[in-house]
């Protein structure tokens, strides 16, 4: 479990003014061998792949996922083994 936020006790300390003391949690779930992200009830939210998370609800986070925390312009990208990536889907446009 990794806590992200403003307080000194957080595993990853973020100092942007829009970040809450305990903003979100990134947790390894051993049962299904996946990382999951949880907005810990922050004031300014968490986005995973441009979608805002609901507070206190775990969402799967895969390799290649992009995290946006609060109103900060920084983006965090999950890295890891290739077998934890979602499959790419090709989109074709007809002219």
């Amino acid at each position: 479990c990794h806590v992200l936020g403003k307080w000194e006790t957080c595993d990853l300390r973020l100092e942007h003014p829009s970040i809450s003391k305990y903003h979100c949690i990134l947790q390894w779930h051993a049962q299904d061998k996946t990382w999951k992200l949880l907005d810990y009830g922050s004031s300014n939210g968490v986005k995973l792949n441009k979608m805002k998370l609901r507070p206190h609800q775990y969402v799967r986070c895969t390799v290649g996922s992009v995290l946006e925390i609060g109103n900060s312009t920084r983006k965090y990208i999950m890295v890891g083994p290739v077998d934890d990536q979602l499959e790419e889907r090709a989109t074709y446009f007809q002219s």
Side-chain angles (χ1 to χ4, degrees), residues 19-60:
I19 305 293
S20 297
K21 294 174 187 173
Y22 295 113
H23 201 95
C24 60
I25 296 171
L26 185 61
Q27 185 172 16
W28 176 251
H29 287 251
Q31 184 177 10
D32 56 358
K33 297 179 182 171
T34 59
W35 283 101
K36 294 189 181 172
L37 182 66
L38 174 123
D39 179 339
Y40 198 65
S42 66
S43 299
N44 294 299
V46 178
K47 289 182 184 175
L48 179 64
N49 299 325
K50 298 183 181 180
M51 296 188 62
K52 190 169 182 176
L53 302 183
R54 291 185 201 162
H56 306 287
Q57 182 177 5
Y58 279 105
V59 176
R60 182 156 187 245

Side-chain angles (χ1 to χ4, degrees), residues 35 62-64 77-85:
W35 283 101
T62 59
V63 171
I77 301 172
M78 287 290 291
V79 295
V82 175
D83 60 343
D84 191 35
Q85 292 178 344

